[in-house]
Amino acid sequence: MTTTGTRPDIEGTKAEVQRIGFIFAMRAEGEGLVKRLGLKAQGRLDPDLPAVWFSGRVEGGSGGRNLEIAIAFAGEDPYHGCDRIGTLPATLAAYLLCRRFRPDLLVNAGTCGGFQREGASIGAVYVGGGDFLFHDRRIPLPKFDAFGIGRIPAIVDEAMRMALGAESGVISTGDSFEPTAEEQKFFERERVTCKEMEAASIASLSRDLGIRFLAVKAVTDLVDHPEPEKSAFARNLNRVSEILEERLIKLLEWMKVRE
Ligand code: ADE
């Protein structure tokens, strides 16, 4: 279990958050939430790109707060017939969503590879804590080396983390699914709990745009385990996406309640 990066001093942001934008890389990770919330398809975020979005309202009920919700997906690659996973499509979709929807809080939700040595197990849910890192931007030049690694501070609202029932853990982002030996050393040195393919780039965008950011990642596979990541990922994707959906619903239920 890691509890890195929690900042009690910024607790209490709930009252300032009414518009929540979610960005998912894969359709399978977020389509359950779209259906569950009854969001309406809004089409493409840009006519020339495959990224799509959905929006609607979550009613607060008597005494509660209404929430405006938008969910964006990076979209399907028309050349290869698969979801456009990875940093570039996710950042583009997140940028377009922020400009169109103007969220008070941007949430990158999805799945990740976890590390058993940091306490992760299949189905566990984490919020990004400590710093967001990039593990595949190796640039051995002064200043560019640090730029490559990123170290974008995660600002964790403790109450939100608890509403999600999630632990806090260091998330590292890269554009490859399978890690190199050098990246494996990086994960160990930096005590990475979650390895995935989008969060740090969206954290960087959110910092530039001055928008609160939260990464919520559910573990589909264990990187430091003999079973290949890709086999466990394929087997667990749907089940773990359902777990993620339940936790995001819990977050929204909590957000609705006035304090
Ligand atoms: N998403 C889910 N599992 C992953 C892994 N092992 N690496 C990168 N992204 C992932």
PDB file of all heavy atoms in Angstrom, residues 26 29 110-114 135 172 174 176-179 195-198 218-223 229-230 233 237, ligand 1:
ATOM      1  N   MET A  26      -9.911   3.714 -23.900  1.00  0.00           N
ATOM      2  CA  MET A  26     -10.578   2.582 -24.556  1.00  0.00           C
ATOM      3  C   MET A  26     -12.081   2.629 -24.319  1.00  0.00           C
ATOM      4  O   MET A  26     -12.537   2.893 -23.210  1.00  0.00           O
ATOM      5  CB  MET A  26     -10.037   1.249 -24.020  1.00  0.00           C
ATOM      6  CG  MET A  26      -8.590   1.011 -24.369  1.00  0.00           C
ATOM      7  SD  MET A  26      -8.042  -0.601 -23.782  1.00  0.00           S
ATOM      8  CE  MET A  26      -8.896  -1.708 -24.893  1.00  0.00           C
ATOM      9  N   GLU A  29     -13.419   0.533 -21.443  1.00  0.00           N
ATOM     10  CA  GLU A  29     -13.183   1.012 -20.077  1.00  0.00           C
ATOM     11  C   GLU A  29     -14.298   1.942 -19.580  1.00  0.00           C
ATOM     12  O   GLU A  29     -14.527   2.049 -18.380  1.00  0.00           O
ATOM     13  CB  GLU A  29     -11.847   1.767 -20.010  1.00  0.00           C
ATOM     14  CG  GLU A  29     -10.633   0.881 -20.242  1.00  0.00           C
ATOM     15  CD  GLU A  29      -9.340   1.660 -20.430  1.00  0.00           C
ATOM     16  OE1 GLU A  29      -9.373   2.808 -20.927  1.00  0.00           O
ATOM     17  OE2 GLU A  29      -8.277   1.116 -20.093  1.00  0.00           O
ATOM     18  N   GLY A 110      -9.312   4.656 -16.242  1.00  0.00           N
ATOM     19  CA  GLY A 110      -8.971   3.543 -17.131  1.00  0.00           C
ATOM     20  C   GLY A 110      -8.312   2.408 -16.370  1.00  0.00           C
ATOM     21  O   GLY A 110      -8.397   2.341 -15.141  1.00  0.00           O
ATOM     22  N   THR A 111      -7.666   1.549 -17.131  1.00  0.00           N
ATOM     23  CA  THR A 111      -7.014   0.388 -16.524  1.00  0.00           C
ATOM     24  C   THR A 111      -5.500   0.582 -16.532  1.00  0.00           C
ATOM     25  O   THR A 111      -4.978   1.473 -17.214  1.00  0.00           O
ATOM     26  CB  THR A 111      -7.386  -0.896 -17.283  1.00  0.00           C
ATOM     27  OG1 THR A 111      -6.982  -0.757 -18.647  1.00  0.00           O
ATOM     28  CG2 THR A 111      -8.881  -1.170 -17.210  1.00  0.00           C
ATOM     29  N   CYS A 112      -4.830  -0.266 -15.780  1.00  0.00           N
ATOM     30  CA  CYS A 112      -3.362  -0.159 -15.709  1.00  0.00           C
ATOM     31  C   CYS A 112      -2.765  -1.514 -15.374  1.00  0.00           C
ATOM     32  O   CYS A 112      -3.471  -2.425 -14.929  1.00  0.00           O
ATOM     33  CB  CYS A 112      -2.963   0.864 -14.639  1.00  0.00           C
ATOM     34  SG  CYS A 112      -3.332   0.332 -12.951  1.00  0.00           S
ATOM     35  N   GLY A 113      -1.458  -1.595 -15.570  1.00  0.00           N
ATOM     36  CA  GLY A 113      -0.696  -2.720 -15.046  1.00  0.00           C
ATOM     37  C   GLY A 113      -0.267  -2.328 -13.635  1.00  0.00           C
ATOM     38  O   GLY A 113       0.120  -1.184 -13.407  1.00  0.00           O
ATOM     39  N   GLY A 114      -0.362  -3.268 -12.688  1.00  0.00           N
ATOM     40  CA  GLY A 114       0.024  -2.955 -11.312  1.00  0.00           C
ATOM     41  C   GLY A 114       1.291  -3.689 -10.912  1.00  0.00           C
ATOM     42  O   GLY A 114       1.744  -4.604 -11.607  1.00  0.00           O
ATOM     43  N   HIS A 135       7.887   6.932 -18.294  1.00  0.00           N
ATOM     44  CA  HIS A 135       9.008   5.986 -18.201  1.00  0.00           C
ATOM     45  C   HIS A 135       9.711   5.751 -19.538  1.00  0.00           C
ATOM     46  O   HIS A 135      10.708   5.039 -19.589  1.00  0.00           O
ATOM     47  CB  HIS A 135       8.563   4.653 -17.587  1.00  0.00           C
ATOM     48  CG  HIS A 135       7.365   4.035 -18.232  1.00  0.00           C
ATOM     49  ND1 HIS A 135       6.103   4.113 -17.691  1.00  0.00           N
ATOM     50  CD2 HIS A 135       7.252   3.317 -19.377  1.00  0.00           C
ATOM     51  CE1 HIS A 135       5.254   3.462 -18.475  1.00  0.00           C
ATOM     52  NE2 HIS A 135       5.925   2.983 -19.509  1.00  0.00           N
ATOM     53  N   SER A 172       2.998   5.750 -13.670  1.00  0.00           N
ATOM     54  CA  SER A 172       3.971   6.070 -14.717  1.00  0.00           C
ATOM     55  C   SER A 172       3.376   5.740 -16.086  1.00  0.00           C
ATOM     56  O   SER A 172       2.733   4.704 -16.265  1.00  0.00           O
ATOM     57  CB  SER A 172       5.273   5.296 -14.495  1.00  0.00           C
ATOM     58  OG  SER A 172       6.253   5.760 -15.398  1.00  0.00           O
ATOM     59  N   GLY A 174       3.658   5.568 -20.434  1.00  0.00           N
ATOM     60  CA  GLY A 174       4.525   5.374 -21.597  1.00  0.00           C
ATOM     61  C   GLY A 174       3.679   4.898 -22.760  1.00  0.00           C
ATOM     62  O   GLY A 174       2.544   4.468 -22.566  1.00  0.00           O
ATOM     63  N   SER A 176       4.269   2.345 -24.753  1.00  0.00           N
ATOM     64  CA  SER A 176       4.366   0.918 -25.087  1.00  0.00           C
ATOM     65  C   SER A 176       3.695   0.097 -24.012  1.00  0.00           C
ATOM     66  O   SER A 176       3.680   0.490 -22.843  1.00  0.00           O
ATOM     67  CB  SER A 176       5.834   0.486 -25.180  1.00  0.00           C
ATOM     68  OG  SER A 176       6.453   1.155 -26.238  1.00  0.00           O
ATOM     69  N   PHE A 177       3.150  -1.028 -24.415  1.00  0.00           N
ATOM     70  CA  PHE A 177       2.497  -1.905 -23.442  1.00  0.00           C
ATOM     71  C   PHE A 177       3.544  -2.741 -22.709  1.00  0.00           C
ATOM     72  O   PHE A 177       3.474  -2.924 -21.509  1.00  0.00           O
ATOM     73  CB  PHE A 177       1.483  -2.794 -24.166  1.00  0.00           C
ATOM     74  CG  PHE A 177       0.580  -3.554 -23.245  1.00  0.00           C
ATOM     75  CD1 PHE A 177      -0.596  -2.982 -22.770  1.00  0.00           C
ATOM     76  CD2 PHE A 177       0.890  -4.847 -22.854  1.00  0.00           C
ATOM     77  CE1 PHE A 177      -1.433  -3.678 -21.905  1.00  0.00           C
ATOM     78  CE2 PHE A 177       0.057  -5.551 -21.998  1.00  0.00           C
ATOM     79  CZ  PHE A 177      -1.103  -4.964 -21.528  1.00  0.00           C
ATOM     80  N   GLU A 178       4.540  -3.225 -23.466  1.00  0.00           N
ATOM     81  CA  GLU A 178       5.551  -4.094 -22.847  1.00  0.00           C
ATOM     82  C   GLU A 178       6.776  -3.284 -22.462  1.00  0.00           C
ATOM     83  O   GLU A 178       7.332  -2.564 -23.288  1.00  0.00           O
ATOM     84  CB  GLU A 178       5.933  -5.214 -23.817  1.00  0.00           C
ATOM     85  CG  GLU A 178       4.839  -6.262 -23.894  1.00  0.00           C
ATOM     86  CD  GLU A 178       5.260  -7.519 -24.606  1.00  0.00           C
ATOM     87  OE1 GLU A 178       6.101  -7.437 -25.529  1.00  0.00           O
ATOM     88  OE2 GLU A 178       4.749  -8.580 -24.269  1.00  0.00           O
ATOM     89  N   PRO A 179       7.214  -3.400 -21.217  1.00  0.00           N
ATOM     90  CA  PRO A 179       8.353  -2.596 -20.761  1.00  0.00           C
ATOM     91  C   PRO A 179       9.706  -3.189 -21.148  1.00  0.00           C
ATOM     92  O   PRO A 179       9.859  -4.409 -21.256  1.00  0.00           O
ATOM     93  CB  PRO A 179       8.184  -2.609 -19.245  1.00  0.00           C
ATOM     94  CG  PRO A 179       7.462  -3.873 -18.935  1.00  0.00           C
ATOM     95  CD  PRO A 179       6.624  -4.216 -20.134  1.00  0.00           C
ATOM     96  N   LYS A 195       1.279   1.263 -14.006  1.00  0.00           N
ATOM     97  CA  LYS A 195       1.902   1.584 -15.299  1.00  0.00           C
ATOM     98  C   LYS A 195       0.780   1.615 -16.328  1.00  0.00           C
ATOM     99  O   LYS A 195       0.009   0.653 -16.457  1.00  0.00           O
ATOM    100  CB  LYS A 195       2.918   0.501 -15.624  1.00  0.00           C
ATOM    101  CG  LYS A 195       3.260   0.334 -17.083  1.00  0.00           C
ATOM    102  CD  LYS A 195       4.246  -0.821 -17.220  1.00  0.00           C
ATOM    103  CE  LYS A 195       4.368  -1.299 -18.646  1.00  0.00           C
ATOM    104  NZ  LYS A 195       3.247  -2.167 -19.053  1.00  0.00           N
ATOM    105  N   GLU A 196       0.694   2.725 -17.037  1.00  0.00           N
ATOM    106  CA  GLU A 196      -0.361   2.814 -18.046  1.00  0.00           C
ATOM    107  C   GLU A 196       0.101   3.741 -19.179  1.00  0.00           C
ATOM    108  O   GLU A 196       1.291   3.983 -19.318  1.00  0.00           O
ATOM    109  CB  GLU A 196      -1.710   3.208 -17.420  1.00  0.00           C
ATOM    110  CG  GLU A 196      -1.686   4.387 -16.495  1.00  0.00           C
ATOM    111  CD  GLU A 196      -1.565   5.676 -17.248  1.00  0.00           C
ATOM    112  OE1 GLU A 196      -2.582   6.218 -17.682  1.00  0.00           O
ATOM    113  OE2 GLU A 196      -0.414   6.176 -17.385  1.00  0.00           O
ATOM    114  N   MET A 197      -0.829   4.240 -19.992  1.00  0.00           N
ATOM    115  CA  MET A 197      -0.393   4.861 -21.240  1.00  0.00           C
ATOM    116  C   MET A 197      -0.950   6.261 -21.502  1.00  0.00           C
ATOM    117  O   MET A 197      -0.845   6.754 -22.626  1.00  0.00           O
ATOM    118  CB  MET A 197      -0.747   3.917 -22.414  1.00  0.00           C
ATOM    119  CG  MET A 197      -0.074   2.559 -22.281  1.00  0.00           C
ATOM    120  SD  MET A 197      -0.525   1.372 -23.563  1.00  0.00           S
ATOM    121  CE  MET A 197       0.228   2.094 -25.003  1.00  0.00           C
ATOM    122  N   GLU A 198      -1.538   6.905 -20.490  1.00  0.00           N
ATOM    123  CA  GLU A 198      -2.126   8.235 -20.753  1.00  0.00           C
ATOM    124  C   GLU A 198      -1.962   9.276 -19.638  1.00  0.00           C
ATOM    125  O   GLU A 198      -1.856  10.477 -19.915  1.00  0.00           O
ATOM    126  CB  GLU A 198      -3.639   8.127 -21.052  1.00  0.00           C
ATOM    127  CG  GLU A 198      -4.001   7.422 -22.343  1.00  0.00           C
ATOM    128  CD  GLU A 198      -4.105   5.912 -22.216  1.00  0.00           C
ATOM    129  OE1 GLU A 198      -4.219   5.405 -21.075  1.00  0.00           O
ATOM    130  OE2 GLU A 198      -4.054   5.220 -23.250  1.00  0.00           O
ATOM    131  N   ALA A 218      -7.619   1.210 -12.561  1.00  0.00           N
ATOM    132  CA  ALA A 218      -7.930  -0.102 -12.001  1.00  0.00           C
ATOM    133  C   ALA A 218      -6.995  -1.144 -12.628  1.00  0.00           C
ATOM    134  O   ALA A 218      -6.767  -1.141 -13.842  1.00  0.00           O
ATOM    135  CB  ALA A 218      -9.389  -0.448 -12.282  1.00  0.00           C
ATOM    136  N   VAL A 219      -6.502  -2.035 -11.817  1.00  0.00           N
ATOM    137  CA  VAL A 219      -5.442  -2.976 -12.230  1.00  0.00           C
ATOM    138  C   VAL A 219      -6.021  -4.193 -12.964  1.00  0.00           C
ATOM    139  O   VAL A 219      -6.817  -4.946 -12.404  1.00  0.00           O
ATOM    140  CB  VAL A 219      -4.638  -3.451 -10.990  1.00  0.00           C
ATOM    141  CG1 VAL A 219      -3.578  -4.474 -11.377  1.00  0.00           C
ATOM    142  CG2 VAL A 219      -4.014  -2.270 -10.253  1.00  0.00           C
ATOM    143  N   THR A 220      -5.606  -4.361 -14.228  1.00  0.00           N
ATOM    144  CA  THR A 220      -6.029  -5.537 -15.005  1.00  0.00           C
ATOM    145  C   THR A 220      -4.955  -6.630 -15.033  1.00  0.00           C
ATOM    146  O   THR A 220      -5.252  -7.790 -15.334  1.00  0.00           O
ATOM    147  CB  THR A 220      -6.299  -5.162 -16.484  1.00  0.00           C
ATOM    148  OG1 THR A 220      -5.236  -4.332 -16.931  1.00  0.00           O
ATOM    149  CG2 THR A 220      -7.638  -4.480 -16.665  1.00  0.00           C
ATOM    150  N   ASP A 221      -3.706  -6.251 -14.790  1.00  0.00           N
ATOM    151  CA  ASP A 221      -2.604  -7.213 -14.930  1.00  0.00           C
ATOM    152  C   ASP A 221      -1.458  -6.780 -14.026  1.00  0.00           C
ATOM    153  O   ASP A 221      -1.387  -5.610 -13.644  1.00  0.00           O
ATOM    154  CB  ASP A 221      -2.130  -7.274 -16.392  1.00  0.00           C
ATOM    155  CG  ASP A 221      -1.864  -5.892 -16.965  1.00  0.00           C
ATOM    156  OD1 ASP A 221      -2.835  -5.235 -17.409  1.00  0.00           O
ATOM    157  OD2 ASP A 221      -0.711  -5.436 -16.928  1.00  0.00           O
ATOM    158  N   LEU A 222      -0.605  -7.746 -13.712  1.00  0.00           N
ATOM    159  CA  LEU A 222       0.506  -7.447 -12.800  1.00  0.00           C
ATOM    160  C   LEU A 222       1.814  -7.515 -13.570  1.00  0.00           C
ATOM    161  O   LEU A 222       2.147  -8.547 -14.166  1.00  0.00           O
ATOM    162  CB  LEU A 222       0.489  -8.424 -11.632  1.00  0.00           C
ATOM    163  CG  LEU A 222      -0.759  -8.275 -10.739  1.00  0.00           C
ATOM    164  CD1 LEU A 222      -0.930  -9.483  -9.838  1.00  0.00           C
ATOM    165  CD2 LEU A 222      -0.695  -6.985  -9.931  1.00  0.00           C
ATOM    166  N   VAL A 223       2.529  -6.411 -13.558  1.00  0.00           N
ATOM    167  CA  VAL A 223       3.750  -6.317 -14.373  1.00  0.00           C
ATOM    168  C   VAL A 223       4.848  -7.213 -13.802  1.00  0.00           C
ATOM    169  O   VAL A 223       5.586  -7.846 -14.555  1.00  0.00           O
ATOM    170  CB  VAL A 223       4.226  -4.841 -14.444  1.00  0.00           C
ATOM    171  CG1 VAL A 223       5.397  -4.686 -15.414  1.00  0.00           C
ATOM    172  CG2 VAL A 223       3.085  -3.918 -14.847  1.00  0.00           C
ATOM    173  N   GLU A 229       1.622  -9.791 -19.172  1.00  0.00           N
ATOM    174  CA  GLU A 229       0.661  -8.698 -18.972  1.00  0.00           C
ATOM    175  C   GLU A 229      -0.490  -8.796 -19.968  1.00  0.00           C
ATOM    176  O   GLU A 229      -1.649  -8.584 -19.627  1.00  0.00           O
ATOM    177  CB  GLU A 229       1.357  -7.350 -19.189  1.00  0.00           C
ATOM    178  CG  GLU A 229       2.294  -6.934 -18.090  1.00  0.00           C
ATOM    179  CD  GLU A 229       3.174  -5.785 -18.553  1.00  0.00           C
ATOM    180  OE1 GLU A 229       2.660  -4.674 -18.717  1.00  0.00           O
ATOM    181  OE2 GLU A 229       4.391  -6.010 -18.756  1.00  0.00           O
ATOM    182  N   LYS A 230      -0.150  -9.082 -21.226  1.00  0.00           N
ATOM    183  CA  LYS A 230      -1.192  -9.035 -22.268  1.00  0.00           C
ATOM    184  C   LYS A 230      -2.266 -10.102 -22.050  1.00  0.00           C
ATOM    185  O   LYS A 230      -3.443  -9.865 -22.333  1.00  0.00           O
ATOM    186  CB  LYS A 230      -0.580  -9.118 -23.666  1.00  0.00           C
ATOM    187  CG  LYS A 230       0.201 -10.366 -23.938  1.00  0.00           C
ATOM    188  CD  LYS A 230       0.848 -10.318 -25.301  1.00  0.00           C
ATOM    189  CE  LYS A 230       1.636 -11.604 -25.499  1.00  0.00           C
ATOM    190  NZ  LYS A 230       2.588 -11.558 -26.562  1.00  0.00           N
ATOM    191  N   PHE A 233      -4.389  -8.933 -19.083  1.00  0.00           N
ATOM    192  CA  PHE A 233      -5.143  -7.738 -19.500  1.00  0.00           C
ATOM    193  C   PHE A 233      -6.387  -8.148 -20.289  1.00  0.00           C
ATOM    194  O   PHE A 233      -7.500  -7.715 -20.000  1.00  0.00           O
ATOM    195  CB  PHE A 233      -4.245  -6.826 -20.342  1.00  0.00           C
ATOM    196  CG  PHE A 233      -4.981  -5.688 -20.983  1.00  0.00           C
ATOM    197  CD1 PHE A 233      -5.407  -4.609 -20.215  1.00  0.00           C
ATOM    198  CD2 PHE A 233      -5.265  -5.691 -22.339  1.00  0.00           C
ATOM    199  CE1 PHE A 233      -6.118  -3.558 -20.789  1.00  0.00           C
ATOM    200  CE2 PHE A 233      -5.970  -4.647 -22.931  1.00  0.00           C
ATOM    201  CZ  PHE A 233      -6.389  -3.577 -22.147  1.00  0.00           C
ATOM    202  N   LEU A 237     -10.033  -7.359 -18.637  1.00  0.00           N
ATOM    203  CA  LEU A 237     -10.447  -6.000 -19.046  1.00  0.00           C
ATOM    204  C   LEU A 237     -11.914  -5.699 -18.716  1.00  0.00           C
ATOM    205  O   LEU A 237     -12.214  -4.682 -18.084  1.00  0.00           O
ATOM    206  CB  LEU A 237     -10.177  -5.793 -20.545  1.00  0.00           C
ATOM    207  CG  LEU A 237     -10.664  -4.465 -21.119  1.00  0.00           C
ATOM    208  CD1 LEU A 237      -9.970  -3.280 -20.452  1.00  0.00           C
ATOM    209  CD2 LEU A 237     -10.435  -4.411 -22.639  1.00  0.00           C
TER     210      LEU A 237
HETATM  211  N1  ADE B   1      -3.256  -0.853 -19.250  1.00  0.00           N
HETATM  212  C1  ADE B   1      -3.639  -1.967 -18.604  1.00  0.00           C
HETATM  213  N2  ADE B   1      -2.575  -2.740 -18.335  1.00  0.00           N
HETATM  214  C2  ADE B   1      -1.491  -2.101 -18.823  1.00  0.00           C
HETATM  215  C3  ADE B   1      -0.120  -2.401 -18.860  1.00  0.00           C
HETATM  216  N3  ADE B   1       0.362  -3.515 -18.338  1.00  0.00           N
HETATM  217  N4  ADE B   1       0.716  -1.514 -19.448  1.00  0.00           N
HETATM  218  C4  ADE B   1       0.224  -0.373 -19.980  1.00  0.00           C
HETATM  219  N5  ADE B   1      -1.048  -0.048 -19.978  1.00  0.00           N
HETATM  220  C5  ADE B   1      -1.911  -0.904 -19.400  1.00  0.00           C
END
